[in-house]
Amino acid sequence: MSQFKKTTLVLFVTLLGGLSFMQAQNLQAQSKVTDAELEKFADAFQVVQMENQKAQQQMVTVIQDNGMEVERFSTIQQATSNPNQEVDATDAEMKKHEAIMAEIKKMQPAIEAKMEKAVADSGITIERYQAIGTALQ
């Protein structure tokens, strides 16, 4: 496995739970993940992360194009997602929030398709990608 892919894999493992690379290797032995699968996973993970960043930027653009600051949108979104939290927003802000959410929901199928394609192009199935990711967590 190339050094770059190992580094990416270590970063992924560190981000998902603070596992060391040695723990990841032990996990590999336990769950019978081959070096080839880890390499494919690392390839897919890199592309998925890039697609995720692009998607986030698209969402930021949608939020800003609808006249709302990202931080304010985030605050309203968190409040609307929590039934125990009161939403402190004006009617105008709520209308903007709803319009933004509608646009984001329209974008989701294309974003998911790009990520699924990235995984498939790496040579592993979505199910195996998810299983390896779960095992690394």
Side-chain angles (χ1 to χ4, degrees), residues 52-91:
N52 188 31
Q53 289 174 352
K54 289 178 192 175
Q56 286 178 11
Q57 187 54 51
Q58 288 173 337
M59 289 181 221
V60 165
T61 300
V62 167
I63 293 166
Q64 292 171 338
D65 286 352
N66 279 278
M68 189 173 271
E69 294 294 322
V70 174
E71 187 176 326
R72 183 64 181 145
F73 173 82
S74 225
T75 300
I76 295 170
Q77 180 60 27
Q78 287 174 357
T80 59
S81 298
N82 183 349
N84 298 322
Q85 186 175 351
E86 185 177 323
V87 179
D88 183 24
T90 66
D91 287 341

Coordinates of all heavy atoms in Angstrom, one line a residue, residues 52-91:
N52 N -17.7 15.1 -0.8 CA -18.4 15.7 0.4 C -18.1 17.2 0.5 O -18.9 18.0 0.8 CB -18.0 14.9 1.7 CG -18.8 15.3 2.9 OD1 -20.0 15.7 2.8 ND2 -18.2 15.2 4.0
Q53 N -16.8 17.5 0.4 CA -16.4 18.9 0.4 C -17.1 19.7 -0.7 O -17.5 20.9 -0.4 CB -14.9 19.0 0.3 CG -14.2 18.5 1.6 CD -12.7 18.5 1.4 OE1 -12.1 18.7 0.3 NE2 -12.0 18.2 2.5
K54 N -17.2 19.2 -1.9 CA -17.8 19.9 -2.9 C -19.3 20.1 -2.6 O -19.9 21.2 -2.8 CB -17.7 19.1 -4.3 CG -16.4 19.1 -4.9 CD -16.4 18.2 -6.1 CE -15.0 17.9 -6.7 NZ -15.0 17.0 -7.8
A55 N -19.9 19.1 -2.1 CA -21.3 19.2 -1.7 C -21.6 20.2 -0.6 O -22.5 21.0 -0.7 CB -21.9 17.8 -1.2
Q56 N -20.7 20.2 0.4 CA -20.8 21.2 1.4 C -20.7 22.6 0.9 O -21.4 23.5 1.3 CB -19.7 21.0 2.5 CG -20.0 19.8 3.4 CD -19.0 19.5 4.4 OE1 -18.1 20.3 4.6 NE2 -19.0 18.4 5.1
Q57 N -19.7 22.8 -0.1 CA -19.6 24.1 -0.7 C -20.8 24.5 -1.5 O -21.3 25.7 -1.5 CB -18.4 24.2 -1.6 CG -18.1 25.6 -2.1 CD -17.9 26.6 -1.0 OE1 -17.2 26.5 0.0 NE2 -18.7 27.7 -1.2
Q58 N -21.4 23.5 -2.2 CA -22.7 23.8 -2.9 C -23.8 24.2 -1.9 O -24.6 25.1 -2.2 CB -23.1 22.6 -3.7 CG -22.3 22.2 -4.9 CD -22.7 20.9 -5.5 OE1 -23.3 20.0 -4.8 NE2 -22.4 20.7 -6.8
M59 N -23.8 23.6 -0.8 CA -24.9 23.9 0.2 C -24.6 25.3 0.8 O -25.6 26.1 1.0 CB -24.9 22.9 1.3 CG -25.5 21.5 0.9 SD -25.5 20.3 2.2 CE -25.0 18.9 1.4
V60 N -23.4 25.6 1.0 CA -23.0 27.0 1.5 C -23.5 28.0 0.5 O -24.1 29.0 0.8 CB -21.5 27.1 1.8 CG1 -21.1 28.6 1.9 CG2 -21.1 26.3 3.0
T61 N -23.3 27.7 -0.8 CA -23.7 28.7 -1.8 C -25.2 28.8 -1.8 O -25.7 29.9 -2.0 CB -23.2 28.2 -3.2 OG1 -21.8 28.1 -3.2 CG2 -23.6 29.1 -4.3
V62 N -25.9 27.7 -1.7 CA -27.4 27.8 -1.7 C -27.9 28.6 -0.5 O -28.8 29.5 -0.6 CB -28.0 26.3 -1.6 CG1 -29.5 26.4 -1.2 CG2 -27.8 25.6 -2.9
I63 N -27.3 28.4 0.7 CA -27.6 29.2 1.9 C -27.4 30.6 1.6 O -28.3 31.5 1.9 CB -26.8 28.6 3.1 CG1 -27.3 27.2 3.4 CG2 -27.0 29.6 4.3 CD1 -26.4 26.5 4.4
Q64 N -26.2 31.0 1.2 CA -25.9 32.4 0.9 C -26.7 33.0 -0.2 O -27.1 34.2 -0.1 CB -24.4 32.5 0.7 CG -23.5 32.2 1.9 CD -22.0 32.1 1.6 OE1 -21.6 32.0 0.4 NE2 -21.2 32.3 2.6
D65 N -27.0 32.3 -1.2 CA -27.8 32.8 -2.3 C -29.2 33.1 -1.9 O -29.9 33.9 -2.5 CB -27.8 31.8 -3.5 CG -26.5 31.8 -4.3 OD1 -25.6 32.7 -4.0 OD2 -26.3 30.9 -5.2
N66 N -29.6 32.4 -0.9 CA -31.0 32.6 -0.3 C -31.0 33.7 0.8 O -32.0 33.8 1.5 CB -31.6 31.3 0.2 CG -32.2 30.5 -0.9 OD1 -33.3 30.7 -1.3 ND2 -31.4 29.5 -1.4
G67 N -29.9 34.4 0.9 CA -29.8 35.5 1.8 C -29.7 35.2 3.3 O -30.2 36.0 4.1
M68 N -29.0 34.1 3.6 CA -28.9 33.7 5.0 C -27.4 33.4 5.3 O -26.7 32.9 4.4 CB -29.7 32.5 5.4 CG -29.8 32.2 6.8 SD -31.0 30.9 7.2 CE -32.4 31.9 7.5
E69 N -26.9 33.7 6.4 CA -25.6 33.4 6.8 C -25.6 31.9 7.2 O -26.5 31.4 7.8 CB -25.1 34.2 8.0 CG -25.0 35.7 7.7 CD -23.9 36.0 6.8 OE1 -22.8 35.3 6.8 OE2 -24.0 36.9 5.9
V70 N -24.5 31.2 6.9 CA -24.3 29.8 7.2 C -24.5 29.5 8.7 O -25.2 28.6 9.1 CB -23.0 29.3 6.7 CG1 -22.8 27.8 7.1 CG2 -22.9 29.4 5.2
E71 N -23.9 30.3 9.5 CA -24.0 30.1 11.0 C -25.4 30.2 11.4 O -25.9 29.4 12.2 CB -23.1 31.1 11.7 CG -23.0 30.8 13.2 CD -22.1 31.8 13.9 OE1 -21.0 32.1 13.3 OE2 -22.4 32.1 15.1
R72 N -26.2 31.2 10.9 CA -27.6 31.4 11.3 C -28.4 30.2 10.8 O -29.3 29.7 11.6 CB -28.1 32.7 10.8 CG -29.5 33.0 11.2 CD -29.6 33.2 12.7 NE -31.0 33.4 13.1 CZ -31.6 33.0 14.2 NH1 -30.9 32.3 15.1 NH2 -32.8 33.2 14.5
F73 N -28.2 29.8 9.6 CA -28.9 28.6 9.1 C -28.6 27.4 9.9 O -29.6 26.7 10.3 CB -28.5 28.3 7.6 CG -29.0 27.1 7.1 CD1 -30.3 27.0 6.6 CD2 -28.3 25.9 7.1 CE1 -30.9 25.9 6.1 CE2 -28.9 24.7 6.7 CZ -30.1 24.7 6.2
S74 N -27.4 27.2 10.3 CA -27.0 26.1 11.1 C -27.7 26.1 12.5 O -28.2 25.1 13.0 CB -25.5 26.1 11.4 OG -24.9 24.9 11.2
T75 N -27.8 27.3 13.1 CA -28.5 27.4 14.4 C -30.0 27.1 14.2 O -30.5 26.3 15.1 CB -28.3 28.9 14.9 OG1 -26.9 29.1 15.1 CG2 -29.1 29.1 16.2
I76 N -30.6 27.6 13.2 CA -32.0 27.3 13.0 C -32.2 25.8 12.7 O -33.1 25.2 13.2 CB -32.6 28.2 11.9 CG1 -32.6 29.6 12.3 CG2 -34.0 27.7 11.5 CD1 -32.9 30.6 11.2
Q77 N -31.3 25.2 11.9 CA -31.4 23.8 11.5 C -31.3 22.9 12.7 O -32.1 22.0 12.9 CB -30.4 23.4 10.5 CG -30.4 22.0 10.0 CD -31.7 21.6 9.4 OE1 -32.4 22.4 8.8 NE2 -32.0 20.3 9.5
Q78 N -30.4 23.2 13.6 CA -30.2 22.4 14.8 C -31.5 22.5 15.7 O -31.9 21.5 16.3 CB -29.0 22.9 15.6 CG -27.7 22.5 15.0 CD -26.5 23.1 15.7 OE1 -26.6 23.8 16.6 NE2 -25.3 22.7 15.2
A79 N -32.0 23.7 15.8 CA -33.2 23.9 16.6 C -34.4 23.2 16.0 O -35.2 22.6 16.8 CB -33.5 25.4 16.8
T80 N -34.6 23.2 14.7 CA -35.7 22.5 14.1 C -35.6 21.0 14.2 O -36.5 20.3 14.1 CB -35.9 23.0 12.6 OG1 -34.7 22.7 11.9 CG2 -36.3 24.4 12.5
S81 N -34.3 20.5 14.3 CA -34.1 19.1 14.4 C -34.2 18.5 15.8 O -34.3 17.3 15.9 CB -32.7 18.8 13.9 OG -32.5 19.2 12.5
N82 N -34.3 19.4 16.7 CA -34.4 19.0 18.1 C -35.8 19.4 18.7 O -36.1 20.5 18.9 CB -33.3 19.7 19.0 CG -33.3 19.2 20.4 OD1 -34.2 18.6 20.9 ND2 -32.3 19.6 21.1
P83 N -36.6 18.4 18.9 CA -38.0 18.7 19.4 C -38.0 19.3 20.8 O -39.0 19.9 21.2 CB -38.7 17.3 19.4 CG -37.6 16.3 19.4 CD -36.4 16.9 18.8
N84 N -37.0 19.2 21.5 CA -36.9 19.8 22.9 C -36.3 21.2 22.9 O -36.2 21.8 23.9 CB -36.0 18.9 23.8 CG -36.6 17.5 23.9 OD1 -37.8 17.3 24.0 ND2 -35.8 16.5 24.0
Q85 N -36.0 21.7 21.7 CA -35.4 23.0 21.6 C -36.4 24.0 20.9 O -36.9 23.6 19.8 CB -34.1 23.0 20.9 CG -33.3 24.3 20.9 CD -32.0 24.1 20.2 OE1 -31.5 23.0 19.9 NE2 -31.3 25.2 20.0
E86 N -36.6 25.1 21.4 CA -37.4 26.1 20.8 C -36.7 26.8 19.7 O -35.5 27.1 19.8 CB -37.8 27.2 21.8 CG -38.8 28.2 21.3 CD -39.3 29.2 22.4 OE1 -39.4 28.8 23.6 OE2 -39.4 30.4 22.1
V87 N -37.3 27.0 18.6 CA -36.7 27.7 17.4 C -36.9 29.2 17.6 O -38.0 29.7 17.6 CB -37.4 27.2 16.1 CG1 -36.7 27.9 14.9 CG2 -37.3 25.7 15.9
D88 N -35.8 29.9 17.7 CA -35.8 31.3 17.9 C -35.4 32.0 16.5 O -34.3 32.3 16.3 CB -34.7 31.7 19.0 CG -34.8 33.2 19.2 OD1 -35.8 33.9 19.0 OD2 -33.7 33.7 19.7
A89 N -36.5 32.1 15.7 CA -36.3 32.6 14.3 C -37.5 33.4 13.9 O -38.6 33.1 14.3 CB -36.0 31.5 13.4
T90 N -37.3 34.4 13.1 CA -38.4 35.2 12.6 C -39.1 34.4 11.5 O -38.6 33.4 11.0 CB -37.9 36.5 12.0 OG1 -37.1 36.2 10.9 CG2 -37.1 37.3 13.0
D91 N -40.3 34.8 11.2 CA -41.1 34.2 10.1 C -40.3 34.2 8.8 O -40.2 33.3 8.0 CB -42.4 34.8 9.9 CG -43.4 34.5 11.0 OD1 -43.2 33.5 11.7 OD2 -44.4 35.2 11.2

